[in-house]
Amino acid sequence: MLVSIFSAAAFLAILTLILAAALLFAEHRILNYGPCTLDINDGGKTLVVTGGSSLLSSLAEKDVFIPSACGGRGSCAYCKVRVLEGGGVIGPVEESYLSPEDLKNQVRLSCQVKVRQDIRLAIPEELFLAKRFRGFLERKRMLTYDIVELRIVLREPQRIEFAAGQYIQLESEEYAGHDAVMRAYSISSPPSDDGHVEVIIRKIPEGICTTWVFDHLQEGREIFFSGPYGDFQLTETKAPAVFIAGGSGMAPIWSILREMLQRGDKRQAMYFFSGRTKDDLFFTEELFALEKELPDFRYIPCLTREPEDSDWKGERGRIPKVLPRFIADAAGFEAYLCGSTSLIDACVAALKQAGINESNIFYDKFE
Amino acid sequence: METFADLTSLGSVVLIFISAAFTDNILLTRFLGMCSVLGVSKKVDPSMGLGAAVIFVTTCTAGLNHLVHAYLLAPLGLEYLRLITFIVVIAAFVQFVEMVVERVSEGLYNALGIFLPLITVNCAILGVSLFMLGTPYSLLQTLAYGAGAGTGWAFAITVIGGIREKVNEQALPRGLAGPGITLIIIGIMSLAFVGFSGMIRV
């Protein structure tokens, strides 16, 4: 009995080993495409890689990190790049993720494009600067009933260089039947604190990543993210700035304001923050303290649903209503908005009515 | 079995091929390889593509597994391991074919690419390898049996694809669309194939 069990196991083990070895050997011999050249952004960067693996992993090998949450299985569709030449035929896996516009722009999923020949591709410049970071969750604290702040201490690389206003892509882990996903969150810590990254996350009911953050992520846990990305940042001008945010849209503004303090930025600044009731406000003391620390700064929280009989002495009503009373003529102002689509659209309309130059409106919409 | 005794080798090969393809159609009389039929048979073109891949793989794996059985499993007295051994051999073979196709012809790879991994776990392929052991075939006869079974499967899925192209699924009750109507089509077709039964005995 024992002998037959043993011989069966040994036979199967040997058979699978031999077959696996044969396959590996065959893969090495058959699917060896030799060195291939990747020409990125028309000669902007040229990489020589060994053909045979996916474009995504070939680029990662050379430290060009394209966002990807699913690990190259072709299910998250974050790793889109423009492949101008040498990408081969579009396979059935990526076909379903490419819109007609993508097809027109020669956009491909880099995890599904195999490097078989020299490839010409175009990727946004910022991806050259983006890296993948490994860190640990140092602190997790609730800022309001539905907003949490994560403070991540960086381990590898140990420093991050970014502009206040940029965002990272946080990677959630697999849990309870949900795949790992990647979600963008603005950095709320100032660039001077380059050993840490803080993000502010609002709970989205049924949200895969936020549920992971709120219910599963614990202090001390290992965390991965990539970044920095994005071009939402303060301009180099001296123009007066109006900041508008709601909910977790606080994050980039909070980073920008503290950066202004550090740099001794003297421009005039106003910050309108939207909330329903007092419970939606956070960093209130810190922001009012900034009014004294910055040369010309005002913090104006606006509450839309605060009960009439409460002791709230601040503004009541939506920002588009409140704003004209503070800024009668917005010409010459620069506006920085971060929050939900509806908040931004309404505020942009109000700003335009106040006479702001449209090219001076910068925003970061939460889809 | 006794039918073959008095036939020349070539005659038996032809006979085995025809019987495997029609009287003993692996899809319509054994109901094997159903999952890929339900998934792929919406149109004729992909059905034919998958069918062609299945013919190729059944033929080769039947031959391979015949050799594995005759020279490895039987001498070692490990015939009871045939099921798992055959699966492993089929999987490795399909992987290998995938690699060769990828290298040799990218066009063919993209046409068949999605089907080859599907085939790895297709029970029809494993069925062919297991059923062939029921009769003491020679290697040539095994290849004919594999090719016949594959052809029969390809023929069936192509016809089903053709019928489904003509069926206006929009006009069907919701619960019947897709797999429902496909199973009914397969059922009716297999009734027709009952007519072949007994014509040749394998």
Side-chain angles (χ1 to χ4, degrees), chain A residues 243-260:
Chain A
F243 300 103
I244 296 174
S248 54
M250 168 74 84
I253 316 280
W254 184 225
S255 174
I256 288 174
L257 288 172
R258 288 191 283 172
E259 167 79 349
M260 280 173 69

Side-chain angles (χ1 to χ4, degrees), chain A residues 4-5 7-9 11-12 15-16 19 23 26-27 29-33 87-92 114 116-117, chain B residues 68 72-73 76 78 80-81 84-86 88-89 91-93 95-96 98-100 102-103 106-107 109-110 113-114:
Chain A
S4 68
I5 291 176
S7 59
F11 173 79
L12 283 175
L15 181 76
T16 40
L19 286 174
L23 278 177
E27 189 175 4
R29 290 302 299 268
I30 298 174
L31 298 182
N32 186 350
Y33 293 88
V89 191
I90 295 176
K114 208 161 182 178
R116 293 194 179 88
Q117 51 195 306
Chain B
V68 167
L72 217 55
L73 293 177
L76 290 172
L78 292 170
Y80 60 94
L81 286 177
I84 190 158
T85 309
F86 287 175
V88 175
V89 170
F93 176 76
Q95 288 282 308
F96 179 73
E98 201 179 347
M99 274 186 233
V100 173
E102 184 179 351
R103 185 71 218 230
E106 214 190 317
Y109 176 68
N110 278 298
I114 192 169

Side-chain angles (χ1 to χ4, degrees), chain A residues 100-150:
Chain A
E101 200 177 333
D102 285 341
L103 293 173
K104 211 176 71 193
N105 292 328
Q106 298 175 290
V107 170
R108 301 284 301 270
L109 296 190
S110 61
C111 68
Q112 298 297 311
V113 174
K114 208 161 182 178
V115 181
R116 293 194 179 88
Q117 51 195 306
D118 294 353
I119 290 182
R120 241 164 37 81
L121 69 153
I123 58 179
E125 290 283 343
E126 65 178 37
L127 289 183
F128 290 129
L129 301 172
K131 298 190 185 105
R132 187 165 186 259
F133 290 85
R134 184 173 68 88
F136 288 91
L137 184 61
E138 191 178 273
R139 187 179 69 203
K140 173 181 174 180
R141 62 166 174 168
M142 297 299 290
L143 298 175
T144 72
Y145 58 95
D146 69 342
I147 290 180
V148 74
E149 180 193 60
L150 304 183

Side-chain angles (χ1 to χ4, degrees), chain B residues 110-187:
Chain B
N110 278 298
L112 287 184
I114 192 169
F115 299 133
L116 282 172
L118 261 182
I119 288 174
T120 315
V121 288
N122 191 323
C123 42
I125 314 273
L126 182 64
V128 168
S129 285
L130 289 175
F131 294 151
M132 77 188 178
L133 297 178
T135 329
Y137 289 136
S138 69
L139 178 61
L140 194 65
Q141 287 170 328
T142 303
L143 290 174
Y145 179 73
T151 309
W153 195 91
F155 172 73
I157 189 177
T158 309
V159 174
I160 293 166
I163 295 174
R164 283 187 71 183
E165 260 185 25
K166 299 281 177 204
V167 172
N168 175 12
E169 289 207 355
Q170 247 71 53
L172 293 172
R174 271 235 314 272
L176 212 54
I181 191 70
T182 312
L183 284 171
I184 292 175
I185 293 170
I186 296 172

